[in-house]
Amino acid sequence: MGNEFFKHVDYYFETYTNRWAETTNSQLRCYFNSLARILPDPTDTNATYEILAEKYAKSTVIEVWRILTSYYGFLLEQGYYRGDNVFRTWGRRNARALRDNGERTRKVEITFEEAWQRIQEAEIPEHARKTLRFILNTGLRRHEIHRLSGDSTRVMGKGQKLRSLYPVSECALPEKVPSNSELVRHCKKIGVYGPHALRKLYATRLVGLGLEPQDLCHVMGWSNIKTAYTYLQPTRDDKLRGMISG
């Protein structure tokens, strides 16, 4: 069953290859290769969780579980196993994980300016406000903030890529950074699904300021400009697509 379940992985990567950065794709490949070896029946959710819990740390188990549910969603979308009740049961049991995984590619319904104003007005702790402002202004991922010192102008990002900071406006490095779950909770108060949405708004803002595609890649730490498709916001879709295809 394990090999049967994972036989469409190549097609999955061919179909969604532009959704993630090259370093992320490489990591996903490693996970899929490992999962195909260790999971005798991926549709047995209880056994799968026990195997993952034994092999991985808790935080990694959650990430791998999301990868599995994302792949399962792909199988359903492409018409594989559609009539299999076991897979339907998996979908129901893991609805939250499927939803959380989908949020990363979801559009953000507010603009950069609206997000800034809502952060200013939201009833949230001041250290959380400073952190959200900093992410919106710099496009940094939460974990990257920890790698900065007070006068840092460069940060080591994903894939060990060193890049410079280009804040949209002046902002101070927060003294205390909330946990990711706290940030998600505060982000929902301003109408976005999480801190990654603020990174999307930052990228969209740079496009609005006329940044060239190669410069956008450098600022955001992308290996491929096609990664930008996951960051496109409704008001800038046509312009950014033109930049990418041009």
Side-chain angles (χ1 to χ4, degrees):
M1 173 62 76
N3 291 335
E4 180 74 13
F5 181 79
F6 291 110
K7 72 177 182 179
H8 301 291
V9 168
D10 286 338
Y11 183 42
Y12 173 73
F13 273 90
E14 289 172 8
T15 307
Y16 292 101
T17 185
N18 293 328
R19 283 196 176 185
W20 304 288
E22 291 177 10
T23 50
T24 306
N25 271 329
S26 177
Q27 183 182 42
L28 285 176
R29 278 283 186 187
C30 291
Y31 278 139
F32 274 117
N33 289 338
S34 177
L35 293 172
R37 289 195 303 269
I38 67 175
L39 297 180
D41 182 2
T43 64
D44 185 343
T45 53
N46 292 330
T48 293
Y49 186 84
E50 289 178 5
I51 292 171
L52 296 181
E54 183 178 343
K55 182 175 178 59
Y56 299 114
K58 183 176 181 181
S59 58
T60 308
V61 169
I62 295 172
E63 183 63 27
V64 173
W65 197 263
R66 287 179 177 175
I67 292 170
L68 279 171
T69 53
S70 174
Y71 179 60
Y72 167 69
F74 162 79
L75 294 179
L76 285 182
E77 182 182 308
Q78 298 299 317
Y80 303 117
Y81 308 111
R82 188 174 296 278
D84 195 323
N85 289 331
V86 174
F87 284 87
R88 290 180 182 274
T89 301
W90 184 340
R92 288 195 298 270
R93 289 180 180 175
N94 297 281
R96 181 173 181 178
L98 282 166
R99 183 199 66 203
D100 291 345
N101 187 78
E103 284 184 339
R104 293 188 65 81
T105 55
R106 197 173 71 189
K107 291 289 187 293
V108 184
E109 302 298 335
I110 63 177
T111 65
F112 181 96
E113 292 77 10
E114 289 171 335
W116 178 266
Q117 187 63 32
R118 293 185 186 187
I119 291 172
Q120 295 294 91
E121 298 173 351
E123 295 183 1
I124 58 179
E126 192 58 31
H127 71 283
R129 191 188 322 279
K130 289 181 179 179
T131 302
L132 294 182
R133 277 201 306 247
F134 193 79
I135 294 174
L136 182 63
N137 254 316
T138 62
L140 288 183
R141 303 174 180 93
R142 176 189 169 274
H143 69 270
E144 292 172 340
I145 300 177
H146 292 292
R147 301 175 182 176
L148 292 172
S149 59
D151 56 351
S152 292
T153 58
R154 309 189 79 187
V155 65
M156 186 68 71
K158 286 177 64 176
Q160 298 302 300
K161 299 173 190 170
L162 187 64
R163 69 181 195 275
S164 299
L165 298 185
Y166 297 96
V168 173
S169 60
E170 188 174 342
C171 58
L173 181 67
E175 301 87 6
K176 178 184 176 183
V177 179
S179 67
N180 192 64
S181 59
E182 287 179 290
L183 281 181
V184 169
R185 188 169 65 251
H186 297 318
C187 280
K188 289 182 177 179
K189 291 182 180 180
I190 66 171
V192 297
Y193 60 80
H196 203 74
L198 303 181
R199 180 169 157 82
K200 290 186 177 186
L201 291 176
Y202 171 79
T204 305
R205 176 68 167 174
L206 295 184
V207 173
L209 294 174
L211 203 66
E212 293 297 322
Q214 63 272 21
D215 295 327
L216 185 63
C217 279
H218 172 71
V219 172
M220 299 301 294
W222 298 329
S223 300
N224 191 332
I225 186 59
K226 292 181 180 179
T227 305
Y229 275 116
T230 64
Y231 287 76
L232 295 180
Q233 299 310 306
T235 57
R236 297 296 180 187
D237 280 5
D238 294 337
K239 183 172 182 178
L240 189 47
R241 286 200 179 98
M243 289 171 60
I244 296 170
S245 61

